[in-house]
Amino acid sequence: MLCSCAAVGFGWLSMQAAKADESMTQGAAAPASAATTVVPQATLAHSPSKQEAQPNLSSGTTSAKQVATPERINVVGHLNKERARIFPGLGAVDYRIDQRQISTTPGGQNAAFNQILLRVPGVVLDSYGEVHVRGEHGGLTYRVNGVLLPEGLNGFGQELDTRIIQSVDLLTGTLPAQFGFRTAGVVDVTTKTGESLKHNQLSLYGGSYNTFVPSVQLGGQHGKLDYFATVSFNRNTIGIENPSNTFRAVHDVTEQEKAFSYLSYHIDDVSRVTLLTSASYADFQIPNSFKTFDENSPDYSTIYNVAGVNPHDPSMNWAKMNDSQTEQNYYAVLSYQRTTEKLNFQASPYFRYGRIDYTPDRDRDLIYQGVSEHEVNDFTTGGMQFDLSYEIAPNHTVRAGLLGQYTYERLDTNTLAFPVDAQGTQSTNVPVRLIDNTGNWSVEAGAYIQDEYKVTHNLTFNYGIRYDRFASSFDNEGQLSPRANMVWKPNSTTTLHIGYSRYFAPPSPQYVYSSTLAKFEGTTNAAANLVNNATKVEKSNYVDGGILQRITPEFQITVDAYAKWAHDLTDLGQFGRAVILAPFSYKRGRVYGAEFGSSWRHGPWSLFGNFSYVKTSAKDINSAQYQFDVAELAYIKNHAIQLDHQGEYTATAGASWTTKHDMAYLDFVYGYGLRSGFANLEKEPQYSVFNIGYQHSFTKVPFGHALKVRADVINLFDKRYQLRDGSGVGIYQAQYGQRRGTFFSVVSEF
């Protein structure tokens, strides 16, 4: 009989067997009732057995227990557990965040999704809502209910809405063979359903920075149909980080609309069809530096003459620039899942469309940058994913799958720029118009097979291999990638793991052709140089090892160390005022580090503390070189530098007190500072931010089921801290972290 370590017992959903193997109930992770912090469930040793996982689906008995637990709920729980058996994070480091932890994050369900991930060890905060996991820039795979969410464009918006989340797992380290392509980490979201929602919700959230966020969540069950939907609107005046050190940004209004729906139809006790749909539309003003006009200021060292425009007119001040960006994202995922005695599988076709539209301020952009460029970037992806698990023997579970997707990317630009002479000096005050329309395509395909072999009762060996292929309009590569993890539980309180993975991570298909660069030669929009090698697939070797230790029934810690050696290490940068992050790569790269996580709970009290260390190095930029200054390219060719997104030390901690009607928390985030300066030789200052919040639930209300009232103070001591100063490899603009803000919410359950 197979057993499971407590990472499974902790709960993929609430439907777990009444009895479990002792090694599961006494494993290293905290029990489900203690899931009030970011609990590191470091090593998922093996999946639960049929005897453990399968609920009673018999309709021939009428016991009191079955009356209390309707069959339709058993079906939901059974299928959710079987889906978890298809996609276990065997041997990977698995950090789970549940509803209790989300509620003690500043803003609760109104928090941005990146703030939820930030409370996990090894996650570093950057500007534009980005987070970096274990020293990687991007490289995250997002899965919703086990199905790949196709990669979109890198913009400002947080597409995944915290309101849809029932729980979320961040898997890092040596991932098993079923995870490919983006391998810095897997963000696996389990969405709310009609059954898990319990009650409909109407919410109003607002406060500082003119924040106004109404939202509604609806869900329920009707016969075999389970449904959940949420719609929200967000308007505030801090849509993008402030580029100045003032309390409020200039020209920084954002309006965002989001909608998400989940529909699940249970065909019978062993199969269902699920449809996920999401839509988001967001408008962002591009914030401006809050400075008075001074043509001798370093920020305005070059002022271009524009025909018919007086650059010294106060109305032409930099602070009055009116650039904006619109972002749209839509996706749909249809899944069919079926489970039998030994075979479980899920097949999922999916589709995604994204669009970024950057609109310039013609005259001011020409005055201060010499360029005014309207950009439209479209991204369309369609694909199919198939995964299965099969118990071929009492000690062996085989998993296999296929994934294939096609992406088409298009970039249309309409640019005004000034001609220049041989010395690069503006030669006329009449700009020329340059139109360029290009497109790229890519095909990503992968197949894997792996075996979960239970060597002994306490030792599990998970090994597998996958083959990936990347073909595009600018590259064609493939790789066979072995993966292996060993998990050992020497006793009921200790879990150790060690693993190796070979990774194959294709770049996004955002390649600018040399013909495009040639169009801008001799203008103020000319590239720094004309070297333009295509970005290739990143190929790396990754090792990871760690221990998860239960010190007492209420206190546990995890320690993990990792290292990565990469060829064609992929990075991203912003090159121009439009916030569209483009890929480039280094010939060689290395990342290594360590993480510590801890959690404790006693009665209503919960504490967590996380710390991480990461070091990066890379040498020789070998693609998209046209974006960089020649002197910087020469230096990086001969010197290993640290990556701009490296936050060498990070720490998060929190304390919360939760009862039936009340919740209070104290939250802390420490950042060491990202890299900056020429070739990333400098770094930003370190910072620490404290947040507090309180919530009270009224259960005796004249209408509905409950009324929740909440207050959050973010950046309690009004810490002024800088994320970026506008320098560094691939960095364009300065950004400061959010100053103090007070926010309130009212949630009515009906």
Side-chain angles (χ1 to χ4, degrees):
M1 169 174 160
L2 294 177
C3 68
S4 168
C5 78
V8 172
F10 187 84
W12 282 95
L13 280 179
S14 60
M15 288 301 300
Q16 59 184 13
K19 292 185 178 181
D21 183 86
E22 182 178 342
S23 64
M24 178 175 73
T25 58
Q26 295 180 355
S33 60
T36 59
T37 63
V38 175
V39 180
Q41 304 167 75
T43 51
L44 182 57
H46 6 269
S47 56
S49 68
K50 288 286 185 180
Q51 289 86 350
E52 291 171 330
Q54 184 161 336
N56 184 0
L57 299 178
S58 171
S59 60
T61 59
T62 57
S63 66
K65 182 178 179 179
Q66 283 191 307
V67 172
T69 307
E71 181 181 358
R72 61 187 173 88
I73 305 299
N74 282 343
V75 172
V76 173
H78 170 58
L79 292 172
N80 285 333
K81 293 188 82 62
E82 293 305 309
R83 183 176 64 201
R85 291 170 53 79
I86 304 174
F87 308 106
L90 296 161
V93 182
D94 182 1
Y95 297 106
R96 168 159 292 192
I97 306 169
D98 69 354
Q99 283 292 303
R100 294 287 298 276
Q101 173 62 24
I102 292 173
S103 70
T104 58
T105 300
Q109 66 178 2
N110 291 286
F113 187 69
N114 66 334
Q115 292 297 313
I116 304 299
L117 294 180
L118 186 61
R119 272 68 187 175
V120 170
V123 179
V124 174
L125 179 66
D126 201 346
S127 55
Y128 301 143
E130 285 190 293
V131 292
H132 307 295
V133 176
R134 291 192 167 190
E136 306 273 3
H137 195 155
L140 291 176
T141 292
Y142 290 88
R143 290 192 174 213
V144 179
N145 292 342
V147 180
L148 177 73
L149 178 61
E151 185 178 24
L153 293 166
N154 295 283
F156 304 131
Q158 299 285 303
E159 182 186 0
L160 283 176
D161 194 338
T162 304
R163 294 176 189 84
I164 77 172
I165 300 171
Q166 181 64 24
S167 65
V168 58
D169 291 78
L170 175 60
L171 282 74
T172 61
T174 50
L175 302 173
Q178 69 257 41
F179 300 110
F181 303 133
R182 311 296 178 261
T183 50
V186 177
V187 180
D188 194 1
V189 174
T190 299
T191 66
K192 293 178 181 176
T193 65
E195 186 275 329
S196 65
L197 184 62
K198 304 303 182 185
H199 304 295
N200 298 325
Q201 293 185 3
L202 181 63
S203 171
L204 182 61
Y205 176 79
S208 299
Y209 308 103
N210 299 327
T211 300
F212 175 67
V213 186
S215 65
V216 63
Q217 299 180 42
L218 304 172
Q221 292 179 318
H222 292 287
K224 295 183 177 182
L225 179 66
D226 185 288
Y227 67 93
F228 168 76
T230 179
V231 179
S232 65
F233 171 78
N234 185 351
R235 187 185 193 279
N236 61 67
T237 57
I238 190 168
I240 304 171
E241 289 88 356
N242 192 347
S244 303
N245 63 357
T246 56
F247 186 84
R248 294 183 182 276
V250 176
H251 192 258
D252 200 10
V253 174
T254 181
E255 292 187 354
Q256 306 173 35
E257 299 90 33
K258 296 181 180 179
F260 174 86
S261 71
Y262 166 94
L263 293 172
S264 179
Y265 182 78
H266 302 96
I267 300 171
D268 50 40
D269 289 352
V270 297
S271 61
R272 66 177 168 184
V273 176
T274 302
L275 176 65
L276 300 177
T277 58
S278 176
S280 63
Y281 186 97
D283 291 314
F284 295 92
Q285 292 180 340
I286 307 297
N288 304 320
S289 298
F290 189 58
K291 295 177 180 288
T292 57
F293 177 80
D294 179 5
E295 64 179 294
N296 295 317
S297 165
D299 286 336
Y300 314 124
S301 57
T302 301
I303 301 296
Y304 295 90
N305 293 317
V306 183
V309 179
N310 178 11
H312 300 281
D313 187 332
S315 66
M316 292 292 106
N317 193 310
W318 173 277
K320 296 181 182 294
M321 290 185 72
N322 190 30
D323 296 353
S324 63
Q325 186 160 302
T326 298
E327 300 179 6
Q328 303 178 56
N329 278 288
Y330 310 92
Y331 69 83
V333 179
L334 181 66
S335 297
Y336 173 73
Q337 179 193 348
R338 183 172 178 82
T339 177
T340 61
E341 181 63 25
K342 294 185 177 182
L343 175 67
N344 307 299
F345 70 86
Q346 180 167 282
S348 306
Y350 54 81
F351 173 81
R352 173 169 182 153
Y353 171 75
R355 180 185 178 97
I356 291 180
D357 188 338
Y358 172 79
T359 303
D361 181 331
R362 178 190 182 278
D363 290 342
R364 295 182 185 89
D365 277 1
L366 286 172
I367 290 172
Y368 296 110
Q369 299 180 118
V371 178
S372 175
E373 186 170 70
H374 181 202
E375 299 183 31
V376 178
N377 201 184
D378 292 277
F379 222 76
T380 305
T381 300
M384 177 73 180
Q385 177 183 335
F386 177 83
D387 300 271
L388 66 83
S389 68
Y390 184 74
E391 295 182 14
I392 61 173
N395 293 333
H396 291 270
T397 299
V398 171
R399 294 178 174 87
L402 301 166
L403 184 146
Q405 65 179 30
Y406 173 83
T407 299
Y408 181 72
E409 180 261 355
R410 184 172 179 83
L411 178 63
D412 298 327
T413 61
N414 187 334
T415 306
L416 291 174
F418 295 109
V420 297
D421 57 24
Q423 288 72 42
T425 303
Q426 179 182 0
S427 59
T428 175
N429 63 358
V430 178
V432 296
R433 185 176 299 277
L434 301 166
I435 296 176
D436 184 67
N437 302 316
T438 59
N440 294 297
W441 61 268
S442 70
V443 174
E444 294 171 293
Y448 70 90
I449 185 168
Q450 65 184 11
D451 176 31
E452 177 191 345
Y453 173 34
K454 184 170 175 53
V455 183
T456 69
H457 181 71
N458 295 323
L459 181 65
T460 299
F461 180 47
N462 186 67
Y463 60 98
I465 194 165
R466 66 175 294 127
Y467 179 76
D468 295 302
R469 192 79 198 175
F470 175 73
S472 71
S473 50
F474 54 86
D475 190 27
N476 191 335
E477 299 181 70
Q479 178 178 281
L480 201 62
S481 304
R483 312 277 180 91
N485 282 292
M486 188 77 76
V487 180
W488 179 43
K489 286 177 58 65
N491 55 57
S492 61
T493 61
T494 304
T495 304
L496 298 99
H497 75 104
I498 188 169
Y500 164 81
S501 290
R502 176 75 171 161
Y503 288 143
F504 179 88
S508 62
Q510 292 173 284
Y511 176 61
V512 175
Y513 294 91
S514 296
S515 58
T516 296
L517 302 181
K519 286 186 178 182
F520 296 99
E521 277 295 284
T523 73
T524 48
N525 198 39
N529 62 81
L530 293 179
V531 183
N532 184 31
N533 295 329
T535 305
K536 301 182 74 65
V537 174
E538 177 186 300
K539 295 165 283 291
S540 62
N541 296 293
Y542 200 107
V543 294
D544 180 279
I547 180 173
L548 194 153
Q549 180 68 50
R550 174 81 67 85
I551 307 298
T552 71
E554 299 169 324
F555 177 48
Q556 69 168 23
I557 64 171
T558 180
V559 180
D560 202 77
Y562 58 90
K564 168 186 170 181
W565 297 266
H567 295 262
D568 300 313
L569 177 71
T570 302
D571 203 345
L572 297 171
Q574 178 190 355
F575 306 97
R577 192 160 164 82
V579 184
I580 302 175
L581 301 183
F584 65 96
S585 59
Y586 297 87
K587 186 176 182 179
R588 295 283 189 274
R590 185 178 66 166
V591 179
Y592 61 91
E595 300 167 354
F596 170 83
S598 64
S599 63
W600 173 85
R601 186 189 183 204
H602 181 75
W605 291 97
S606 297
L607 301 175
F608 77 91
N610 304 319
F611 176 81
S612 66
Y613 165 80
V614 64
K615 198 73 173 178
T616 65
S617 66
K619 186 176 181 180
D620 191 4
I621 294 177
N622 64 352
S623 69
Q625 298 94 328
Y626 67 89
Q627 302 171 117
F628 303 97
D629 181 76
V630 174
E632 196 167 37
L633 279 175
Y635 182 89
I636 297 172
K637 185 175 183 63
N638 298 300
H639 299 82
I641 67 168
Q642 299 174 79
L643 299 176
D644 70 276
H645 51 268
Q646 174 187 293
E648 192 166 349
Y649 303 101
T650 59
T652 56
S656 62
W657 175 76
T658 305
T659 65
K660 182 178 180 180
H661 297 290
D662 295 277
M663 182 279 296
Y665 74 87
L666 172 65
D667 179 78
F668 166 77
V669 175
Y670 166 81
Y672 182 68
L674 304 173
R675 305 303 301 180
S676 61
F678 176 85
N680 298 336
L681 295 177
E682 303 171 11
K683 83 170 190 70
E684 299 298 335
Q686 61 186 354
Y687 61 89
S688 56
V689 176
F690 289 85
N691 313 287
I692 60 172
Y694 173 76
Q695 177 178 287
H696 180 74
S697 298
F698 299 91
T699 55
K700 295 182 179 180
V701 293
F703 53 88
H705 297 280
L707 186 68
K708 298 178 181 179
V709 179
R710 179 182 177 120
D712 296 273
V713 181
I714 297 177
N715 197 350
L716 177 64
F717 301 111
D718 197 24
K719 174 71 173 180
R720 182 180 297 179
Y721 62 100
Q722 190 167 27
L723 297 171
R724 297 289 191 183
D725 65 3
S727 68
V729 178
I731 306 302
Y732 179 79
Q733 190 170 12
Q735 290 98 16
Y736 285 80
Q738 180 180 317
R739 301 284 292 275
R740 180 166 55 217
T742 303
F743 302 90
F744 303 92
S745 68
V746 178
V747 179
S748 174
E749 296 185 347
F750 61 95

